[in-house]
Amino acid sequence: MDGNAKRLLTAQEVAAHNSRESCWIVVHGNVYDVTEFLDEHPGGSKIILKYAGKDATQEYDPIHPPDAITTNLKPDKHLGPIDPSTVQDSASDGLLSEDEQARLARIAARPRLSEILSLHDFEAVARQVMPEKAWAYYSSAADDEITQRENHAAFHRIWFRPRILRDVTKVDWSTTILGHKSSMPVYITATALGKLGHPDGELNLTRAATRHGIIQMIPTLASCSFDEIVDAAEPGQVLFFQLYVNKDRSITKRIVQHSEARGIKGLFITVDAPQLGRREKDMRQKFEADDPSEVSKAKQGNVDRTQGAARAISSFIDPSLNWADLEWFRSITKMPLILKGVQCWEDALEAYDRGLNGVVLSNHGGRQLDFARSGIEVLVEVAAKLKKKRGVTLPIDTFQVFVDGGVRRATDVIKAVALGATAVGIGRPFLYAYSSYGAEGIDKALQILHDEFEMNMRLLGSRTIREIVPDMVDTSNIHMHTVPVPIDNLYEGNYEKLVGAHLREVKPKL
């Protein structure tokens, strides 16, 4: 036997270490001593202690890359594999909660995938079939969630001016993004914690991106590790990377240069999150999970452990990031640099003047500052100011402008393209698609978009992306703000609900 090999540990041995004084957990069949790590854990000690002496894999997987525990724990805390013959199969012991039984019943009763007609439908189904904590994290937005709803409503204030009597037998909605081909002016934008919705997490997006010829942006806070995602990509597949800048710049430098070495084609630096917004729907899940008497104990250091999943995983973000830091980024990488989270024309022009490769007009999906305006509204101003003050007419190859937030239809994308956007980022709808139906859900969502592009380009009278021009849209009402009715689900605001999607009443089989 190898002298460095570690013996099998029994489940009974692990179960004996179930306290703050001696805390062992099992993750992916391996036992770890996390006693000394309890108070360092960004999510607080309470969640670890909940699984002391037990298997924590199910809780660990959705919110951690696979290598997080091995990276953060010293080698001597890796105690060895657990003997599988000593582990009881908890899946067959009949201990599923009533809520989980009800959720599984709703999954069984969900509409057939063939009944899904729009991206809105995926959201309606996801709301019913996702675990409550996962839904709260994905769907939550800042404060009263006004901006989240405005992101979608703003597209409704832009109207088309179609052209007629053009030969639209053939229409082509392919384009290039930062010089790379894409089957449509859409990319999969970065969204965190992909495994909350499906065990394969972001890998669902990677595989779908190559099947459908679009580009995926890898998030810093993915559930899957960066290398796992890149390894899953096909040779030559184009990937971007979304970066949260770490307070420790040596960590940021390592991440950026590793990304470049692995072939990433664009670095999207997030600039709208010096502090994470209050996502109360997500935060309430945290409070409900904790004993109220423990709330004060959960506040340690500068991180409030009671603030939900979002804040628990993001305490490393540097609030000191500023314009002067961009030269440092140029010194450590040759990747195109794009600022993600620009929210006014002044900052967009600043980025242009500093020679950046582009900006994403975005308010973080409404998850940061409530009452921040939508990206599509800001785009109207950016296009006008670039033309007036710099003599530049969008779109241009040297400074590409992107938009994200609230996109649910190809018509939303077409409106952004008409106003000068190179492409549009879509995030939540793809999460809802694979959370509801797995890989087939993502394929269906992208096929829906392809079908919508074909139909709407014909009806608009545009045969190529280049023929989608500003004169085809009326933006005269874009700045007319109203606060929409507070609804959780964007599809609730449409003319008809998906039959069978609201399934909370379905009773589990006992």
Side-chain angles (χ1 to χ4, degrees):
M1 174 185 263
D2 183 348
N4 294 321
K6 297 177 179 177
R7 70 178 180 85
L8 289 175
L9 295 161
T10 67
Q12 292 72 28
E13 287 178 279
V14 176
H17 297 268
N18 61 356
S19 66
R20 174 174 281 278
E21 289 68 35
S22 182
C23 182
W24 293 7
I25 61 171
V26 180
V27 175
H28 294 303
N30 290 296
V31 183
Y32 300 93
D33 182 351
V34 295
T35 311
E36 296 177 6
F37 183 66
L38 287 172
D39 292 335
E40 297 177 13
H41 183 235
S45 61
K46 189 176 180 67
I47 188 61
I48 298 180
L49 289 170
K50 178 180 177 181
Y51 291 92
K54 302 175 184 176
D55 192 320
T57 304
Q58 187 173 359
E59 182 76 22
Y60 171 92
D61 264 349
I63 59 175
H64 300 87
D67 59 353
I69 195 165
T70 54
T71 300
N72 287 289
L73 286 183
K74 298 175 181 177
D76 64 333
K77 303 301 180 184
H78 303 186
L79 304 182
I82 193 166
D83 184 347
S85 67
T86 67
V87 178
Q88 181 180 357
D89 183 5
S90 60
S92 61
D93 61 9
L95 296 180
L96 288 176
S97 68
E98 288 188 12
D99 285 345
E100 182 62 12
Q101 291 181 63
R103 188 180 76 85
L104 293 175
R106 292 195 296 273
I107 291 175
R110 68 191 168 180
R112 295 186 300 273
L113 188 56
S114 60
E115 297 178 55
I116 301 297
L117 302 180
S118 73
L119 299 192
H120 292 291
D121 290 351
F122 285 113
E123 184 167 356
V125 176
R127 186 181 183 187
Q128 302 303 316
V129 303
M130 290 181 70
E132 191 171 2
K133 280 188 180 181
W135 168 257
Y137 178 75
Y138 283 173
S139 67
S140 63
D143 296 345
D144 295 314
E145 302 190 345
I146 302 300
T147 288
Q148 182 189 30
R149 296 192 290 275
E150 163 65 9
N151 281 348
H152 187 61
F155 285 102
H156 299 172
R157 299 197 296 273
I158 300 173
W159 293 79
F160 286 124
R161 302 179 68 251
R163 301 304 302 269
I164 60 170
L165 295 177
R166 294 179 171 182
D167 184 354
V168 289
T169 304
K170 293 182 179 180
V171 290
D172 179 7
W173 52 96
S174 64
T175 189
T176 58
I177 303 173
L178 296 178
H180 304 285
K181 292 181 180 180
S182 177
S183 66
M184 54 182 162
V186 164
Y187 61 90
I188 301 172
T189 195
T191 49
L193 305 188
K195 287 187 180 180
L196 283 175
H198 188 277
D200 287 345
E202 293 81 9
L203 299 183
N204 287 301
L205 305 174
T206 310
R207 295 161 183 158
T210 191
R211 287 195 299 270
H212 294 268
I214 62 173
I215 299 172
Q216 177 192 13
M217 184 190 298
I218 302 174
T220 295
L221 297 175
S223 292
C224 300
S225 71
F226 172 85
D227 285 313
E228 188 179 8
I229 295 171
V230 175
D231 289 344
E234 294 294 321
Q237 182 174 340
V238 176
L239 296 167
F240 298 149
F241 182 64
Q242 171 266 332
L243 177 72
Y244 282 122
V245 179
N246 198 299
K247 295 171 186 174
D248 184 340
R249 293 302 169 85
S250 66
I251 294 176
T252 293
K253 181 178 180 180
R254 173 175 55 80
I255 291 171
V256 169
Q257 293 184 338
H258 180 65
S259 300
E260 185 169 15
R262 291 300 315 264
I264 296 299
K265 301 303 184 184
L267 183 65
F268 287 68
I269 304 170
T270 296
V271 294
D272 60 5
Q275 175 178 331
L276 254 64
R278 285 172 52 88
R279 302 155 193 184
E280 295 175 6
K281 194 185 299 179
D282 180 37
M283 292 164 65
R284 285 195 177 97
Q285 289 297 314
K286 179 67 175 177
F287 276 118
E288 289 172 6
D290 283 340
D291 179 348
S293 67
E294 294 292 321
V295 168
S296 62
K297 297 178 185 177
K299 295 180 179 180
Q300 301 166 8
N302 294 320
V303 181
D304 188 341
R305 318 293 182 179
T306 66
Q307 298 296 293
R311 291 197 176 185
I313 62 175
S314 59
S315 59
F316 66 88
I317 298 173
D318 188 358
S320 75
L321 183 66
N322 63 82
W323 288 103
D325 292 318
L326 297 177
E327 287 305 313
W328 177 76
F329 277 101
R330 282 198 175 99
S331 74
I332 65 170
T333 182
K334 290 182 170 54
M335 286 187 289
L337 301 179
I338 299 91
L339 300 186
K340 182 180 183 296
V342 172
Q343 298 170 80
C344 65
W345 68 262
E346 292 90 344
D347 285 339
L349 265 62
E350 179 83 9
Y352 174 81
D353 292 342
R354 288 175 178 266
L356 291 167
N357 300 93
V359 293
V360 183
L361 306 179
S362 169
N363 52 44
H364 217 99
R367 292 162 77 83
Q368 288 298 94
L369 178 65
D370 210 7
F371 291 94
R373 296 179 307 159
S374 69
I376 191 69
E377 179 177 348
V378 176
L379 176 60
V380 173
E381 294 181 352
V382 169
K385 296 297 183 180
L386 275 171
K387 185 173 184 178
K388 179 179 179 180
K389 294 180 176 289
R390 300 295 184 270
V392 173
T393 300
L394 293 177
I396 54 175
D397 292 336
T398 54
F399 184 75
Q400 298 191 2
V401 177
F402 307 96
V403 172
D404 69 30
V407 176
R408 296 297 184 273
R409 296 276 188 185
T411 47
D412 299 334
V413 180
I414 289 170
K415 291 171 184 179
V417 170
L419 293 168
T422 296
V424 168
I426 299 180
R428 281 186 177 105
F430 295 147
L431 296 181
Y432 295 144
Y434 76 62
S435 296
S436 301
Y437 295 94
E440 290 183 349
I442 286 282
D443 287 336
K444 177 75 171 184
L446 287 164
Q447 187 59 52
I448 286 171
L449 286 173
H450 276 284
D451 293 345
E452 288 184 352
F453 270 113
E454 183 175 24
M455 176 187 72
N456 287 300
M457 287 185 67
R458 282 191 175 127
L459 296 177
L460 190 60
S462 297
R463 290 158 292 199
T464 67
I465 291 294
R466 290 289 182 184
E467 290 187 358
I468 303 175
V469 295
D471 287 345
M472 288 181 165
V473 291
D474 174 5
T475 62
S476 57
N477 293 324
I478 190 64
H479 300 302
M480 295 179 63
H481 298 135
T482 58
V483 177
V485 176
I487 51 178
D488 280 330
N489 188 309
L490 291 177
Y491 190 74
E492 297 273 7
N494 274 31
Y495 67 96
E496 186 177 2
K497 298 176 184 177
L498 173 67
V499 176
H502 290 65
L503 306 169
R504 288 290 183 195
E505 298 76 20
V506 174
K507 301 297 182 182
K509 295 181 180 179
L510 300 177

